[in-house]
Amino acid sequence: VQPPERPLCAEEWSRLRESFQSPEIFEEVMLNNMVRYNSPIDVAKSLLTHVAKSNGDIGYNLLVKYLALCVQQGKTSEICDVYDILKIRFKILESGAYNLLIRGLSDSDQWRMALTLLEEVKKVTVPSRSNYEFCIKAAGRHQEMTLACELYHEMLTKDLVPTLDVLQALFDYSRGMKDPALQKVLFGILLYLRENQIYPHKTFMRSIKLWFESIPGENWKGHLTNIKDSGRCPVCNHQLEDSELTEEEYNNLRERIIRDVIHGTDTFRKTSPQEFEAFEAFVENRLPFDIVIDGLNISHIMPRKVQCENLFEAVNWLAKDHARLLVLGRKHMLANSSNWRREIMKEMQNKADFFFAENISEDDAFLLYATLRSGKHCKFVTRDFLRDHKACLSDSMTRHLFRKWQRGHQIAVSPSAGGKHINFLPACSYDCVVQTTGDTWHIPYKDFFEEKYSYQIPRKWLCLQQKY
Amino acid sequence: MQTANMLLKKFVRCSAFSFSIQHGVKQDLFPLSRALILSPCLKEDNSRSYSEKVDLDAWKEVMKSGLREVSETISEPKELSSLAAARETLEMWRLAGRPVPEKLSEEQLKAFMECPSKSAKKKYLKYLHLKELYKKNDKRKMDEKRKRRLETQERASEAEEPKKNPFVCLWASSMDKTYSWRVAQSMIFGQPLVFDMSYEKYMSVREVANAVRQIVLSEGCNRRSVDPFHIHFCNLKDDSLYHKEFIKHYRGAWDRLLITVTDQCYTDIFPKDKLIYLTADSPKVMKTFDHDKIYIVGSMVDKSIKTGVSLAQAKRLGLETAALPLDKYLLWNCGAKNLTLDQMMHVLLTLKDTGDWKKALEFVPKRKYCGFVNKPMHELKKTLDLVNILKLGKRPEVLQKRFADNYSKRLTQK
């Protein structure tokens, strides 16, 4: 039903209500539609008046819906009135009403009331991140940056993940200020992006750039650039951090892979203890490898070709510079079949080491183990994004390590031009995260807000340098 | 009061004035200032002759005045215990129209508060709310039924004509006796069927409860079948969650059930070469039902699908495994290939009696498959695509991928 365009009197409302198919929810449906069509607020008022006159009372849900309409249209005085009424009638409010109130009030000159409301929410439950978001933005808008930073830190201590919007707002509102404490907070945000491997989008990047350039007396200059495979910034000629893990991180990651990915809750789910032992012994005897290949994955690169020929081509290509190769496969590859011809398999086994797992075992886990065991120089080849293995790791710290290691060590197969030959993309030699040397910052960014595949790394960078 | 209001309005067009006059300026100094802000938008309305009659802010007065005395007693600041506060919040959620049950027991409230996250709390409340709705619905239906029965009885007593029936009426109790006799027979001569109760650590409390419910259903349909299995519950420890749930369901009947319950493993009871573990993850597909083998069903409900748990169990014990030939006989549509325990029981019983896969796989839920495979695969694929495009409006590439996932290359080429 479309809500009426002008306020109606009591008789008109009751007539409408009777013509509605289920009169008991008429008011709710009507108010919902008013919010949807953004009806004038007087229409809603006339409906409430009708309800109040006929029932002597207005239900909580109707009040909240009316509040939503007021918030949508930014009617501050009405919001305050509804809040007064709610406070009189109900001992506490629920989160929906609080959300609306905070949102509505933070946008007005009554924004300090939003802060008191936030305190009220804290008494009952943990405020949502959007509650904090509106309060922080309101504080920022009124140049109360200390307050905004306090709220931001409070939010972090409550394990709430801030939206990129809030972070961007903090940069926007502190433009042109010379305040060391504030600067520290903003650098903290950049480090937060680094630690969690978050990439800002274009508009956020622009806010960061503008903030840096606006710091009085520090003379920052920002440039947008693409960084080449070598990892050298074309603007300031600075070499980016490489993607190597430290010794400790590396060992930590290896142990966690064995514990969480290979064994997990039950070793039998992915392999069996005997098989894993056999594999360990096999790897120990032939260490170290330069490249570990997921045989079955690679054999499906070109679906038109016979599987063993695909693998053969890949092995030949990778063995060119005398690298020590390990190919992981399953036992069924050894049975002479149309897809796996014995002669070709024989020939490949001369060029690379092969390990064949049981047909029902998971070879990916072995791939990770063999690569990590061989040392930092060892790379691996698969088209798999390894998301399910990352998910097996129990804490986010290790997951970030895994992603970083994967970026630096996975040789990807490029979508081949023409589909004739296999092409490999070398692993990224530099680490794609926010990084600084004190007088330079390099910040990778995404073109659009929506790009969010975790395995995709941005190619575009913001280079910031301080000129003395 | 309304007439007085209208009268006043004729004198002063400003609602703030009428408001303060009604309530006394002293009492309501606070809202006065706010109402003054509102007055301009009221004046705009005056241009319309219609809305002149409607006092748009009248509802506020009603809301503020009606419960003034009560509110003063309510708003006394007093510390609530956390439980009472939670109850209070829930009441507000209910008023806001969220799915929240009307009544909550003390334990449920505690369980609610122990939920680790906001979404867990929401889910738990929704679950309780739905449960309450079902219960209410059932009660309503029962009442209606009773009413109808009473009415028919009254009518029957009016008619008063004794019916003659050549057969003795078979009541439920005598049926039960026949069933029990059959099951007792099967306990001596019947083919064993094992339920493996070793998955408690993989399941949440609710999943265990669901699993037990499904087993109870399976036991029921086994009892009523012509040639029942001899059911074994293996690895069932006393005082485990499973055990508690079973007692909850069967109460006194638990000790009189005609099944074998043991905390031993099936490998200790039966020869290993006779055992076959049924699991959807198995690479081997069951071709026929073997009357000499002992089939094992894992009593596990996994709402978040945990792949390979039962396959791991079979691997550890070195047992043969098998999966139902779902893809061979059914054109799979959506859903996981693991079936509930009672569906499994129906399938196995039918196989045992008839050996007919088509009949047995009737018990797979209809939503999971599009039909039986009776034509060459590529023709089926065409119809399936057509049906899905019509039904879901999905793009053919998506469907192709799904089809490819379901059916290996080998199958489609044939």
Side-chain angles (χ1 to χ4, degrees):
Chain A
V1 275
Q2 191 141 7
E5 274 157 23
R6 54 177 178 75
L8 302 183
C9 66
E11 299 95 79
E12 286 171 308
W13 277 123
S14 28
R15 222 174 302 137
L16 258 183
R17 186 175 197 267
E18 269 153 36
S19 65
F20 191 66
Q21 50 205 0
S22 43
E24 59 274 14
I25 55 162
F26 169 73
E27 290 86 8
E28 254 177 87
V29 174
M30 192 48 96
L31 273 170
N32 275 345
N33 283 344
M34 285 182 193
V35 173
R36 187 188 301 155
Y37 291 106
N38 206 7
S39 310
I41 206 151
D42 287 343
V43 183
K45 276 185 185 177
S46 75
L47 175 61
L48 288 186
T49 305
H50 166 60
V51 174
K53 290 247 171 82
S54 49
N55 299 347
D57 191 20
I58 301 173
Y60 179 76
N61 56 341
L62 293 188
L63 286 175
V64 173
K65 288 197 168 106
Y66 173 66
L67 183 61
L69 189 66
C70 297
V71 169
Q72 191 169 302
Q73 304 182 357
K75 299 266 196 286
T76 314
S77 56
E78 276 306 295
I79 297 171
C80 293
D81 276 359
V82 176
Y83 177 51
D84 287 340
I85 288 171
L86 285 175
K87 235 179 15 190
I88 294 172
R89 299 298 293 254
F90 303 100
K91 225 189 297 182
I92 51 168
L93 306 183
E94 49 78 56
S95 47
Y98 277 128
N99 286 346
L100 284 168
L101 286 169
I102 290 178
R103 199 176 121 199
L105 291 172
S106 71
D107 241 358
S108 68
D109 44 359
Q110 301 267 3
W111 65 277
R112 283 195 187 273
M113 233 165 103
L115 297 179
T116 42
L117 277 168
L118 187 71
E119 291 303 315
E120 232 171 279
V121 177
K122 271 188 234 163
K123 276 184 216 155
V124 193
T125 163
V126 183
S128 68
R129 68 174 183 176
S130 69
N131 288 161
Y132 275 109
E133 182 172 337
F134 286 114
C135 290
I136 291 172
K137 279 186 181 166
R141 205 174 297 122
H142 295 86
Q143 293 298 309
E144 299 241 5
M145 290 317 292
T146 3
L147 178 63
C149 294
E150 255 170 49
L151 285 171
Y152 170 70
H153 284 303
E154 190 181 301
M155 177 177 183
L156 290 187
T157 54
K158 293 198 159 128
D159 278 339
L160 294 169
V161 181
T163 54
L164 290 185
D165 251 18
V166 169
L167 303 181
Q168 188 184 346
L170 284 171
F171 276 98
D172 281 340
Y173 291 129
S174 27
R175 206 173 289 165
M177 283 194 212
K178 177 92 183 156
D179 176 0
L182 182 60
Q183 233 170 29
K184 212 175 140 199
V185 174
L186 294 181
F187 284 140
I189 292 177
L190 290 175
L191 292 179
Y192 175 84
L193 295 181
R194 174 190 168 88
E195 254 144 53
N196 294 294
Q197 301 181 23
I198 300 167
Y199 307 118
H201 47 86
K202 210 171 190 171
T203 47
F204 185 8
M205 178 276 296
R206 217 164 268 147
S207 299
I208 297 174
K209 182 168 176 275
L210 288 175
W211 174 73
F212 266 102
E213 289 172 344
S214 78
I215 306 175
E218 296 206 354
N219 213 9
W220 285 94
K221 194 76 201 122
H223 293 279
L224 303 187
T225 179
N226 290 312
I227 284 182
K228 299 271 147 13
D229 287 341
S230 61
R232 194 168 285 281
C233 171
V235 180
C236 62
N237 213 22
H238 169 72
Q239 180 70 38
L240 294 187
E241 286 175 41
D242 63 23
S243 53
E244 290 306 324
L245 274 57
T246 65
E247 201 63 38
E248 195 191 337
E249 286 173 334
Y250 198 83
N251 291 337
N252 187 11
L253 180 64
R254 192 170 62 202
E255 268 157 40
R256 297 299 294 275
I257 292 275
I258 295 174
R259 201 184 78 197
D260 292 345
V261 178
I262 297 177
H263 293 304
T265 50
D266 186 351
T267 315
F268 283 96
R269 275 175 80 172
K270 290 198 173 146
T271 166
S272 68
Q274 296 93 316
E275 192 183 29
F276 185 59
E277 256 170 50
F279 180 68
E280 271 182 313
F282 173 88
V283 172
E284 281 327 303
N285 284 336
R286 290 169 176 77
L287 274 177
F289 299 105
D290 298 321
I291 298 173
V292 183
I293 303 167
D294 184 347
L296 278 171
N297 189 294
I298 294 305
S299 69
H300 287 287
I301 287 180
M302 279 181 269
R304 304 237 160 151
K305 270 197 186 171
V306 182
Q307 288 173 13
C308 62
E309 279 174 12
N310 271 329
L311 185 60
F312 188 58
E313 195 181 330
V315 167
N316 278 340
W317 203 90
L318 292 166
K320 263 192 295 197
D321 13 303
H322 309 291
R324 281 183 60 80
L325 303 183
L326 168 63
V327 182
L328 292 167
R330 294 216 180 95
K331 289 219 164 113
H332 71 78
M333 290 157 73
L334 285 173
N336 194 13
S337 66
S338 60
N339 265 326
W340 297 101
R341 265 182 259 125
R342 190 163 284 156
E343 323 83 75
I344 299 182
M345 289 301 287
K346 276 255 171 62
E347 207 176 327
M348 273 195 279
Q349 271 164 296
N350 292 332
K351 296 192 173 176
D353 281 312
F354 272 72
F355 183 85
F356 297 100
E358 291 294 331
N359 291 340
I360 51 172
S361 294
E362 275 199 39
D363 46 1
D364 286 355
F366 292 145
L367 175 86
L368 296 178
Y369 175 78
T371 316
L372 281 165
R373 186 69 194 83
S374 294
K376 285 181 182 175
H377 71 287
C378 183
K379 308 272 195 287
F380 63 95
V381 188
T382 176
R383 283 186 305 173
D384 202 302
F385 298 123
L386 305 174
R387 278 178 284 217
D388 45 345
H389 302 291
K390 190 188 78 160
C392 290
L393 296 168
S394 47
D395 66 312
S396 60
M397 210 21 230
T398 325
R399 275 187 227 161
H400 288 316
L401 275 186
F402 181 76
R403 268 277 176 263
K404 184 176 174 183
W405 174 77
Q406 188 189 354
R407 277 201 300 265
H409 292 85
Q410 179 163 12
I411 299 177
V413 184
S414 76
S416 53
K420 285 273 165 70
H421 291 283
I422 299 178
N423 280 319
F424 294 96
L425 297 175
C428 196
S429 63
Y430 57 92
D431 196 14
C432 194
V433 287
V434 176
Q435 43 193 283
T436 180
T437 58
D439 57 353
T440 62
W441 279 88
H442 285 90
I443 298 165
Y445 69 92
K446 297 181 290 188
D447 254 341
F448 303 105
F449 182 63
E450 299 84 36
E451 277 177 47
K452 56 182 168 192
Y453 295 111
S454 62
Y455 57 85
Q456 280 178 344
I457 40 177
R459 295 267 159 205
K460 297 190 170 173
W461 289 72
L462 167 66
C463 162
L464 288 154
Q465 51 184 145
Q466 205 172 7
K467 297 257 168 72
Y468 295 105
Chain B
M1 181 164 132
Q2 222 168 346
T3 47
N5 207 356
M6 295 297 280
L7 257 174
L8 276 169
K9 279 217 116 173
K10 278 181 186 166
F11 287 103
V12 266
R13 273 275 156 81
C14 171
S15 71
F17 240 98
S18 68
F19 190 74
S20 55
I21 288 170
Q22 269 176 25
H23 291 274
V25 186
K26 251 187 263 169
Q27 200 186 340
D28 285 294
L29 258 179
F30 174 48
L32 174 72
S33 58
R34 222 166 263 143
L36 272 172
I37 302 167
L38 281 172
S39 49
C41 63
L42 267 182
K43 269 185 193 143
E44 276 170 28
D45 292 327
N46 291 346
S47 58
R48 284 183 189 280
S49 60
Y50 227 109
S51 48
E52 227 172 336
K53 286 188 227 159
V54 189
D55 178 6
L56 289 174
D57 284 334
W59 61 276
K60 287 182 192 167
E61 291 159 35
V62 173
M63 293 303 285
K64 280 179 183 171
S65 62
L67 273 167
R68 174 120 316 181
E69 305 84 51
V70 187
S71 73
E72 265 156 24
T73 53
I74 283 178
S75 61
E76 298 260 311
K78 58 180 174 188
E79 273 306 300
L80 286 167
S81 72
S82 60
L83 272 180
R87 217 175 255 284
E88 202 79 35
T89 328
L90 287 184
E91 181 57 24
M92 292 314 288
W93 281 356
R94 207 172 64 75
L95 285 180
R98 293 216 214 163
V100 170
E102 276 175 34
K103 283 178 210 134
L104 239 97
S105 71
E106 201 83 339
E107 287 124 59
Q108 284 169 335
L109 197 63
K110 269 181 197 145
F112 163 73
M113 287 176 68
E114 277 159 18
C115 287
S117 67
K118 278 186 190 175
S119 59
K121 280 182 182 170
K122 247 184 238 170
K123 254 188 210 162
Y124 182 65
L125 285 178
K126 193 174 175 193
Y127 158 73
L128 291 179
H129 175 68
L130 285 179
K131 214 166 114 178
E132 199 181 65
L133 275 187
Y134 286 134
K135 221 172 194 176
K136 241 189 230 164
N137 243 346
D138 282 350
K139 197 166 177 310
R140 190 178 48 84
K141 275 183 196 156
M142 286 279 274
D143 284 347
E144 274 171 18
K145 210 170 163 188
R146 188 176 305 135
K147 219 174 175 184
R148 244 180 293 139
R149 201 172 47 218
L150 278 178
E151 272 170 24
T152 47
Q153 261 175 17
E154 258 171 48
R155 235 177 289 138
S157 61
E158 275 168 28
E160 198 79 52
E161 201 171 309
K163 275 180 257 169
K164 275 179 190 167
N165 200 333
F167 295 107
V168 181
C169 197
L170 259 181
W171 293 105
S173 61
S174 45
M175 283 306 280
D176 274 349
K177 260 182 213 156
T178 335
Y179 291 145
S180 303
W181 171 248
R182 275 194 210 147
V183 183
Q185 289 256 307
S186 84
M187 283 193 73
I188 308 169
F189 305 111
Q191 182 178 5
L193 178 75
V194 178
F195 281 94
D196 180 6
M197 306 284 187
S198 58
Y199 296 106
E200 204 171 289
K201 60 172 185 263
Y202 293 102
M203 288 192 279
S204 68
V205 179
R206 255 180 70 199
E207 283 170 337
V208 172
N210 288 353
V212 166
R213 221 183 125 76
Q214 290 178 12
I215 296 172
V216 170
L217 285 174
S218 329
E219 190 271 328
C221 84
N222 182 58
R223 193 185 334 158
R224 277 186 288 278
S225 72
V226 188
D227 182 16
F229 283 108
H230 175 193
I231 295 182
H232 286 71
F233 290 170
C234 289
N235 292 327
L236 184 63
K237 308 269 183 300
D238 275 352
D239 294 322
S240 60
L241 256 181
Y242 278 121
H243 190 246
K244 276 179 204 147
E245 283 289 328
F246 273 124
I247 300 281
K248 216 192 224 169
H249 265 285
Y250 282 112
R251 299 211 185 91
W254 172 247
D255 296 320
R256 284 180 273 121
L257 272 187
L258 293 172
I259 51 174
T260 306
V261 178
T262 166
D263 61 352
Q264 278 180 304
C265 187
Y266 29 84
T267 43
D268 300 333
I269 309 174
F270 302 108
K272 251 189 187 180
D273 55 328
K274 290 233 164 186
L275 291 169
I276 295 183
Y277 211 112
L278 293 174
T279 160
D281 295 322
S282 170
K284 275 185 210 132
V285 172
M286 202 169 155
K287 286 215 173 65
T288 50
F289 182 86
D290 193 335
H291 295 267
D292 288 330
K293 296 278 188 194
I294 296 147
Y295 289 98
I296 308 168
V297 179
S299 319
M300 175 162 161
V301 169
D302 46 349
K303 292 208 167 185
S304 62
I305 291 178
K306 302 179 186 79
T307 356
V309 173
S310 53
L311 187 63
Q313 172 86 345
K315 253 166 97 188
R316 182 180 5 257
L317 298 168
L319 299 178
E320 208 180 309
T321 60
L324 293 183
L326 296 175
D327 280 336
K328 193 176 161 199
Y329 289 96
L330 299 176
L331 199 53
W332 203 257
N333 183 27
C334 66
K337 300 228 163 100
N338 49 0
L339 302 180
T340 62
L341 300 169
D342 50 318
Q343 285 159 10
M344 209 57 201
M345 182 57 120
H346 276 296
V347 169
L348 289 175
L349 278 171
T350 318
L351 278 181
K352 184 168 139 94
D353 290 343
T354 62
D356 184 350
W357 278 107
K358 209 174 159 180
K359 242 186 204 167
L361 294 181
E362 288 279 344
F363 292 100
V364 177
K366 295 272 182 294
R367 66 170 189 283
K368 287 195 177 183
Y369 65 95
C370 298
F372 281 90
V373 174
N374 45 9
K375 282 184 255 175
M377 206 43 99
H378 60 272
E379 268 177 52
L380 276 175
K381 187 168 162 298
K382 263 188 230 157
T383 36
L384 183 65
D385 278 353
L386 210 72
V387 165
N388 272 321
I389 289 169
L390 289 176
K391 200 168 68 179
L392 310 162
K394 276 195 188 155
R395 288 200 318 279
E397 308 94 74
V398 181
L399 295 168
Q400 215 127 54
K401 196 173 170 305
R402 198 199 271 177
F403 190 85
D405 289 345
N406 278 342
Y407 300 95
S408 65
K409 217 173 171 185
R410 188 170 44 82
L411 262 172
T412 37
Q413 274 168 351
K414 263 176 198 170

